[in-house]
Amino acid sequence: MEQQLGNIQDITMTEHAMQRLKQRFGLTDKEMLKWTRRQLMAGKIVKENNEKGRLMVQSDQIILIVDPMNRTLVTAYPLNHYGGNSDEILDIDKEKELRDYLQKPLKDYLKMQKQKYTALLDGLMMDLRMQYMEFQNSDSLTDLAVIDKVEGKVMEVEDAIHAYKSSVGTAEKLINGSEIDSKAK
């Protein structure tokens, strides 16, 4: 490692790398440099001389991208952040290709969820109408049990709507790229 990186104590960080260390590892400005140097000392180069002349260093479950010419850490991320493992590292430049590949299954999932919840809500709305008609047709002015049934059905409809939003929220973010883009290199 020392032969290709030189003295690790001379390594600095780009502004981008500092942002990613805060975002991905929760490091403070004070901790970053020491942490980076420790990771580089423990790491091994797993990919050399890519098209930008950078080195990919793996330390335990962390990947560090280093520019040896400028003696800077470019970025760092958890190994599993990009779906790889120690034997199979997914090139971070393939992220857009992966997201594009997942578009159709995600859209199919959203269609299936919409159909499922449409049927569920149709049934709940029918039940709500039935409970409401029972309330309208009730002769009692003091029977709260009937209105409790209406309220219960309203709550079931609200729960179903909330469940739908939860089930499709992550998929929708991935389709629109907001989840991945927020983790940009």
Side-chain angles (χ1 to χ4, degrees), residues 70-85:
N70 293 325
R71 316 240 350 99
T72 57
L73 175 71
V74 177
T75 194
Y77 52 88
L79 185 58
N80 290 332
H81 178 79
Y82 291 99
N85 58 45

Side-chain angles (χ1 to χ4, degrees), residues 14-161:
T14 64
E15 189 66 34
H16 174 81
M18 291 170 63
Q19 290 172 349
R20 294 302 169 248
L21 291 176
K22 283 180 188 177
Q23 175 190 28
R24 295 174 178 155
F25 300 100
L27 297 173
T28 64
D29 290 342
K30 189 175 180 179
E31 300 169 310
M32 286 181 195
L33 199 53
K34 187 175 180 179
W35 181 89
T36 298
R37 290 174 178 162
R38 193 171 50 245
Q39 297 302 322
L40 289 172
M41 288 294 286
K44 66 178 182 176
I45 296 173
V46 293
K47 188 174 178 182
E48 298 182 48
N49 301 324
N50 64 17
E51 62 276 356
K52 296 178 182 177
R54 296 177 177 167
L55 300 174
M56 181 181 284
V57 178
Q58 180 179 345
S59 174
D60 192 28
Q61 294 297 307
I62 298 167
I63 295 294
L64 300 110
I65 306 297
V66 179
D67 183 338
M69 299 301 290
N70 293 325
R71 316 240 350 99
T72 57
L73 175 71
V74 177
T75 194
Y77 52 88
L79 185 58
N80 290 332
H81 178 79
Y82 291 99
N85 58 45
S86 58
D87 299 319
E88 175 188 331
I89 297 173
L90 181 61
D91 187 347
I92 59 175
D93 295 330
K94 300 287 185 183
E95 185 175 339
K96 182 179 179 338
E97 183 180 321
L98 179 60
R99 185 176 63 212
D100 291 345
Y101 175 78
L102 293 173
Q103 292 294 303
K104 183 175 178 350
L106 288 169
K107 287 179 180 177
D108 290 346
Y109 170 79
L110 288 175
K111 284 179 188 175
M112 180 186 71
Q113 289 298 92
K114 185 173 183 178
Q115 290 171 348
K116 172 184 167 183
Y117 281 95
T118 297
L120 175 64
L121 286 170
D122 284 348
L124 288 172
M125 292 303 290
M126 181 68 81
D127 291 347
L128 179 60
R129 281 188 212 102
M130 296 296 284
Q131 294 298 324
Y132 180 67
M133 286 172 46
E134 185 179 328
F135 170 72
Q136 282 182 317
N137 295 329
S138 173
D139 292 334
S140 173
L141 300 175
T142 59
D143 186 5
L144 293 180
V146 177
I147 197 69
D148 285 345
K149 289 180 183 177
V150 172
E151 182 181 32
K153 287 300 169 188
V154 168
M155 289 173 50
E156 284 184 52
V157 170
E158 288 175 346
D159 289 347
I161 290 169

Side-chain angles (χ1 to χ4, degrees), residues 166-178:
S166 295
S167 72
V168 301
T170 301
E172 198 169 64
K173 285 179 186 175
L174 288 170
I175 285 173
N176 296 329
S178 59

